[in-house]
Amino acid sequence: MKIKCPLLLIMLVISSLVAAQNAAPLFQIKGVLLDSLTQEGEPYATIKIVKKEAPAHALKMLVTDMKGKFQEKIPGTGNFVMTISSIGRNTIVKDFTVKAGEQLVDFGTLYIADASNELGQVEVVAQKPLVKVDVDKIEYNIEDDPDSKTNSVIEMLRKVPLVTVDGEDNIQVNGSSSFKIHVNGKPNNMMSNNPKEVLKSMPANTIKYIEVITSPGAKYDAEGVGGILNIVTVGGGFEGYTATFSGRASNMGLGGGAYATIKQGKLTLTGNYNYSYNNQPTNYSNSYREDYSSTDQKYLESSNESDYSGQFQHGNVEASYEIDTLRLITMSVGMYGGGSDNESGGNTEMWNAARDKKAYSYRSLSEGDGSWYSIRGNIDYQRTSKKNKNRMLTLSYKINTQPEENDSYNRYLDRYQVPEVFQLHNSHTFGKTNTTEHTFQVDYTTPIGKLHTIETGVKYIIRNNVSENNFAEDKSSDGNGDYVYNEKRSSNYKHLNDILAAYLSYTLRYKDFTFKPGVRFEHTAQDVRYIVGVGEDFKVNYNDVVPSVSMGIKLGPTQTLRGGYDMRIYRPSIWYLNPYFDDSNPMFIRQGNSELKSEKSHAFNLSYSSFTSKFNVNVSVRHSFNNSGIENVSRLIGEGGEYFGSDQAHFAPEGSLYSTYENIGKSRNTNMSLYLNWNATPKTRIYINGRGGYSDLKSPSQNLHNYGWQGSMYGGIQHTFPWKLRASLNAGGSTPYISLQGKGSGYSYYSLSVNRSFLKDRLTVSVYGSNLFSKYMNFNNTTFGENFYSTSKSRYPNRSFGMSISYRIGELKASVKKAARSISNDDVKGGGGNQGGGGGE
């Protein structure tokens, strides 16, 4: 993809300009800045040099390096003032005098301490690092990225190392769609089931930073093959009084939000709320399928148009109460969810092999609405040892419920020779599902000497999944009769889980080396009950021992080498388990499989990181394999059709595509990820985030095998122009992806945004646009089987543009205290077509 944009050229030219040096005599300053407690170098502190008689005019601005050292040439002679500032630290002010002929001012060693009072305004001219690295995670600072003023969270994820987002907004971590999502260190199962919908509705200006936990240790639930995303929201990390209000509007919808923090004595409250309304242009799709074994019903062709509108909202309130210096209570309640309305119309035709005769045809009209929510609450009590503040005990409780409902009507018109076995009657479907969890957890952490740390804990989860699908149909000849409930095509199903887990983790930190092994044990008891529908009640228990190890070594002040091994398990959620026989479209039938077992995956990883004030790089290699993967398997029903269920209650007609899930996948994946960030000047940032790899997918029992290379790349440039005008140009794309039974098309993407702050940075106005020269994005998907070949083409709205405004009031002080441990349920494989995350620490 080639993009001609004069702004890019302007930005590159401006970033290469070098200011001419003053002809005045020069002298040199130097010194080193250390933390007053740890004696370690203070990196990226801002240093400002002014003449004493002209304090408003900065002669020179510079920053300390990773070791806290600084050295710079300054023009002139006379009386000067040096000011050293760093976020959360007391400001250092030094007066000094330089006489004619003096060439060096050596400040020696300076010490900086944490601020104990309100921070003053600090002018920062150097680019702050967006990425930080630890032995088992990478952190991307969303708040300091100018694009967060206009983008959604899912768009910002394109920049995060080890994360990829394709053209249909499907997310992968470490090359895998099997990952978990944490929010403020706590899980929300709604994101497990709807990560794409939730994250593309959430504005990025509500996010502080995102952690990619590449090697989840033993204290995390044993689920999540690719890793864990921990999303930390703004407003939960400060105390004092502050509030921000924002609004946005675009060609696809509008929204607004607010967040605030307030402290009164020992009690601190933070809250945020956001609302979005989306109204997308019409989507178009068509599909083609060929049956290799038939001549009378050889080719199936269909086309469809659909309209969608929906609203999304999320809110959260957190409170912390510091009983004394050793005891802390934190509480929170939160909600994610939304609703949607959709209408669609389609046409279906079946042709013979010669394409000169229709076997049958019909038109379909459907309309419906739905809602999905996740509501949670939790409380944590933390007790810290008086003798050692790194020794602590945490008691936690969490409740979470996820109600979902959908209500739809399907009508069939212009039916031509449609076989009666299709049961193609007008129908009304009303369904609702809910998952309710109660979780109890105890965590204990204690250091042993200066080098060792032990972490251990116990968790008990009570999880109840309930699904009810009611099907009613109108069998009258004209389709204008009453809807009559059909029990055989309805379902009422319960899936009850009790999970008991315990973990033990050890950490060794010796100089620049970190070693972190751990082991986790999980016992699962399942109880499946059928109230209405086909299926036999059953109970099953199983045990899993899950080892993990990660290690890292600092090769220098800015370089780190990390590696590790982890085993992860994946329990199927109700989306995969629910045996409801969904034949609302008789040509595309879907059914869950209540006999699915957990899948297990093993992964090895190795990565190198180098992060300096000018240049950041992270290179990771990961190999994973899985011999019991849960895969979506599709097959074409042959001549005469096929009955399903112990009492033969369900029928799939000849020529229909039947899809379900089975533990038949054997996968091998090798991926390499690359992240580059170059702070070309204090005002210019250039970055690249890419991934490529090779996948080999097999199902010997189904005689399926697919393999190939796939990759993606995303990059951009940001520049701050005069008058605080910040601009950003981004572009990216991917190659086609592969699945067990087919492949999908690649995509390309670009966007431009400009924003400016006013009123001492309290008011920010932003305008943005993406894919401005193409209204729709096209996707092709191919599926193949033993006796069929199928392809589909879709057109999604692609062009977007709009503006946003935010305003902040109040001031911030020191940080709010939170419990260092909390509940994190990461043990469910989500569904709904998007495998995503669940919660975290």
Side-chain angles (χ1 to χ4, degrees), residues 248-268:
R248 56 196 176 277
S250 74
N251 62 315
M252 291 191 180
L254 50 85
Y259 64 82
T261 298
I262 188 170
K263 181 174 186 216
Q264 182 66 42
K266 295 183 177 182
L267 178 66
T268 302

Side-chain angles (χ1 to χ4, degrees), residues 27-33 47 62 68-74 82 103-110:
F27 67 92
Q28 188 178 74
I29 63 168
K30 73 173 187 177
V32 60
L33 183 66
I47 301 177
L62 60 146
K69 294 181 179 179
F70 61 92
Q71 185 172 318
E72 189 62 65
K73 291 183 178 180
I74 311 295
M82 179 178 71
Q103 296 183 350
L104 176 66
V105 177
D106 189 349
F107 290 97
T109 301
L110 303 173

Side-chain angles (χ1 to χ4, degrees), residues 282-337:
T282 302
N283 296 336
Y284 300 92
S285 64
N286 58 75
S287 63
Y288 162 85
R289 193 175 72 214
E290 179 180 352
D291 185 347
Y292 298 149
S293 60
S294 177
T295 57
D296 295 334
Q297 299 185 19
K298 183 73 172 178
Y299 303 109
L300 179 70
E301 298 177 347
S302 64
S303 60
N304 190 75
E305 297 181 6
S306 62
D307 292 291
Y308 165 88
S309 63
Q311 52 87 20
F312 170 81
Q313 54 187 323
H314 72 92
N316 189 70
V317 176
E318 293 186 350
S320 67
Y321 184 76
E322 192 175 359
I323 301 173
D324 51 39
T325 57
L326 303 178
R327 294 178 296 171
L328 176 69
I329 293 179
T330 61
M331 296 163 284
S332 71
V333 293
M335 176 273 294
Y336 291 87

Side-chain angles (χ1 to χ4, degrees), residues 338-485:
S340 63
D341 295 287
N342 54 80
E343 296 180 354
S344 65
N347 186 61
T348 301
E349 297 177 336
M350 176 69 81
W351 294 87
N352 65 354
R355 285 189 176 275
D356 58 3
K357 183 180 179 181
K358 280 186 186 179
Y360 59 83
S361 65
Y362 61 88
R363 288 195 305 118
S364 62
L365 298 175
S366 66
E367 60 180 359
D369 58 73
S371 65
W372 43 272
Y373 286 92
S374 177
I375 304 166
R376 67 164 180 84
N378 64 275
I379 181 169
D380 304 298
Y381 170 76
Q382 177 180 291
R383 179 68 164 84
T384 304
S385 170
K386 187 175 183 180
K387 294 182 179 180
N388 190 326
K389 292 192 175 182
N390 291 319
R391 180 178 296 124
M392 64 184 68
L393 175 71
T394 307
L395 307 176
S396 304
Y397 167 74
K398 172 177 173 287
I399 183 172
N400 185 75
T401 183
Q402 299 174 72
E404 296 187 43
E405 290 189 0
N406 62 81
D407 191 358
S408 62
Y409 288 85
N410 293 287
R411 298 177 59 202
Y412 301 97
L413 308 173
D414 301 336
R415 286 172 281 197
Y416 171 72
Q417 296 187 174
V418 177
E420 181 58 31
V421 293
F422 278 24
Q423 303 185 67
L424 209 63
H425 309 295
N426 293 350
S427 63
H428 174 211
T429 303
F430 175 75
K432 57 182 179 180
T433 64
N434 189 33
T435 297
T436 301
E437 287 183 344
H438 298 271
T439 307
F440 306 87
Q441 182 169 313
V442 179
D443 295 281
Y444 179 69
T445 301
T446 181
I448 301 176
K450 295 183 178 180
L451 305 179
H452 315 278
T453 302
I454 297 292
E455 296 176 285
T456 187
V458 179
K459 174 190 284 189
Y460 179 54
I461 305 173
I462 303 171
R463 177 181 297 130
N464 297 332
N465 299 313
V466 179
S467 177
E468 181 179 348
N469 291 276
N470 299 301
F471 185 89
E473 58 189 338
D474 174 9
K475 292 186 176 182
S476 62
S477 58
D478 58 2
N480 294 317
D482 295 328
Y483 288 101
V484 179
Y485 174 70

Side-chain angles (χ1 to χ4, degrees), residues 33-146:
L33 183 66
L34 302 182
D35 184 286
S36 61
L37 294 178
T38 66
Q39 307 297 303
E40 295 179 350
E42 177 75 7
Y44 309 130
T46 300
I47 301 177
K48 181 179 179 180
I49 306 294
V50 301
K51 292 295 291 284
K52 194 167 187 178
E53 60 270 24
H57 176 64
L59 290 176
K60 188 71 68 172
M61 300 285 289
L62 60 146
V63 294
T64 58
D65 65 13
M66 289 295 292
K67 292 183 178 180
K69 294 181 179 179
F70 61 92
Q71 185 172 318
E72 189 62 65
K73 291 183 178 180
I74 311 295
T77 59
N79 298 320
F80 298 84
V81 178
M82 179 178 71
T83 304
I84 304 178
S85 305
S86 187
I87 299 297
R89 303 288 203 161
N90 286 324
T91 300
I92 297 175
V93 179
K94 292 284 185 180
D95 294 341
F96 63 97
T97 301
V98 176
K99 298 178 181 179
E102 193 172 354
Q103 296 183 350
L104 176 66
V105 177
D106 189 349
F107 290 97
T109 301
L110 303 173
Y111 296 95
I112 194 167
D114 287 340
S116 58
N117 54 7
E118 182 176 335
L119 294 175
Q121 183 175 341
V122 179
E123 182 179 2
V124 180
V125 297
Q127 292 276 12
K128 292 175 64 178
L130 287 178
V131 180
K132 297 180 182 178
V133 176
D134 202 349
V135 65
D136 56 356
K137 64 185 178 182
I138 293 178
E139 177 186 310
Y140 188 88
N141 193 329
I142 298 290
E143 190 177 42
D144 288 333
D145 190 325

